[in-house]
Amino acid sequence: MNIPFRLLSLSLCSLLVACQAVNTTSGGAVGVERKQYMFSMLSTQEVNQAYAQSYQQTLSDASGKGMLDKNSANAKRLQAIANRLIKQAPLFRPDSAQWQWEVNLIKSPELNANCGPGGKIIFYSGIIEKLKLTDDEIAAIMGHEIAHALREHGREAMSKAYGIEMAKQGAGALLGLGSDSLALADAAVQYGMTLPNSRGNENEADLIGLELAARAGYNPNAAVSLWQKMAAASEGAPPEFMSTHPSSGSRIASLQAAIPKVMPLYQQAR
């Protein structure tokens, strides 16, 4: 390891002092047990409050354009599915019972959906209509997105971003590095830290989402048919959802391997 990368590594290690090792959820039947490192100066409450403001702005903008859908059959479907999934969330994270959960549908051709910090759920009508999603498949998406919120993957990503930026600044100040060297260091950190964890976060959301849906009485096999539909949709212009939730054969195989763990939960909930 050369000197710039050694110092960058030392800078990253020193930042661990400012981080807290936590496990945001219980492991569940699917066994998600990874410890997470959160920047201690970036609290759960702060992230949830900041996202709530952004969420309300998104809803306000959609309402102003006549795109906020509160009364359609699909809006009612989403609310009913969300109610069942939200009841299961405290099994993984007890404090989520006190979250101010919301679910909203926006009329848009986008194939997209998300659940932000603190339980703020948005679906876009395009993902339901274009993929002809069943209730079980909607539950698979929503469970996956809720899992991201329960695991605080957004706060975790912010914590990494803080650490990376501080490490770059620290190494640059010590060595007087030029922009090219810092860019190289940045690329190394991105590939060495961010991408593997990103894939790991997706796997965690897949597994926890699978269990949430099963506990709520939705067929876990729908997660496989959902990603098969996503894979087919991505053959043309990739949908927005695929930019942050890449589909692959390995992902489907991982879901298929986990289904036997949660099938008894589904059968009990029916």
Side-chain angles (χ1 to χ4, degrees):
M1 181 182 289
N2 59 29
I3 292 174
F5 283 105
R6 187 181 302 118
L7 284 175
L8 183 60
S9 297
L10 289 172
S11 298
L12 285 169
C13 290
S14 69
L15 288 170
L16 292 177
V17 176
C19 290
Q20 299 170 329
V22 300
N23 199 343
T24 51
T25 62
S26 63
V30 291
V32 173
E33 302 286 358
R34 178 180 64 90
K35 289 290 185 183
Q36 299 164 274
Y37 288 91
M38 302 293 189
F39 194 52
S40 58
M41 296 177 66
L42 188 66
S43 72
T44 297
Q45 184 179 13
E46 288 171 330
V47 173
N48 288 0
Q49 287 177 346
Y51 189 82
Q53 293 175 356
S54 175
Y55 183 82
Q56 290 305 319
Q57 186 61 54
T58 298
L59 297 184
S60 178
D61 292 345
S63 180
K65 297 174 184 176
M67 296 169 61
L68 189 60
D69 183 350
K70 291 285 191 180
N71 300 309
S72 71
N74 278 337
K76 293 174 182 176
R77 286 174 73 199
L78 283 179
Q79 188 63 64
I81 293 166
N83 290 345
R84 288 168 59 176
L85 289 170
I86 290 166
K87 286 181 181 178
Q88 305 304 318
L91 295 170
F92 282 94
R93 182 171 179 145
D95 70 327
S96 67
Q98 281 73 54
W99 286 3
Q100 300 300 308
W101 293 88
E102 291 186 54
V103 57
N104 283 281
L105 177 63
I106 292 177
K107 292 183 283 187
S108 167
E110 293 180 52
L111 274 70
N112 205 3
N114 62 72
C115 177
K120 307 300 186 186
I121 302 167
I122 288 181
F123 268 67
Y124 294 85
S125 58
I127 199 168
I128 299 173
E129 295 167 357
K130 292 182 180 180
L131 298 186
K132 297 180 172 59
L133 297 181
T134 66
D135 284 4
D136 292 317
E137 289 167 341
I138 291 174
I141 293 178
M142 195 179 293
H144 176 100
E145 293 303 311
I146 287 173
H148 278 304
L150 295 176
R151 289 289 288 170
E152 290 193 78
H153 286 152
R155 181 178 169 223
E156 187 177 17
M158 291 178 197
S159 296
K160 286 181 184 176
Y162 274 115
I164 290 168
E165 185 61 29
M166 290 174 68
K168 288 194 301 182
Q169 291 177 0
L174 286 170
L175 293 171
L177 294 176
S179 59
D180 290 344
S181 295
L182 284 177
L184 183 61
D186 185 37
V189 173
Q190 290 289 333
Y191 281 95
M193 288 178 55
T194 307
L195 288 183
N197 286 330
S198 227
R199 295 186 187 111
N201 288 356
E202 281 299 299
N203 183 61
E204 290 176 356
D206 280 348
L207 295 176
I208 291 176
L210 191 72
E211 183 168 341
L212 283 171
R215 287 183 179 276
Y218 293 103
N219 191 336
N221 288 298
V224 173
S225 62
L226 165 68
W227 289 108
Q228 288 170 338
K229 287 182 178 182
M230 282 290 184
S234 68
E235 290 178 0
E240 179 66 21
F241 194 77
M242 299 295 286
S243 66
T244 52
H245 301 77
S247 181
S248 67
S250 61
R251 175 178 224 143
I252 291 173
S254 177
L255 285 165
Q256 288 172 325
I259 285 173
K261 297 179 182 178
V262 301
M263 187 58 73
L265 300 173
Y266 165 61
Q267 292 168 341
Q268 291 169 14
R270 293 181 66 187

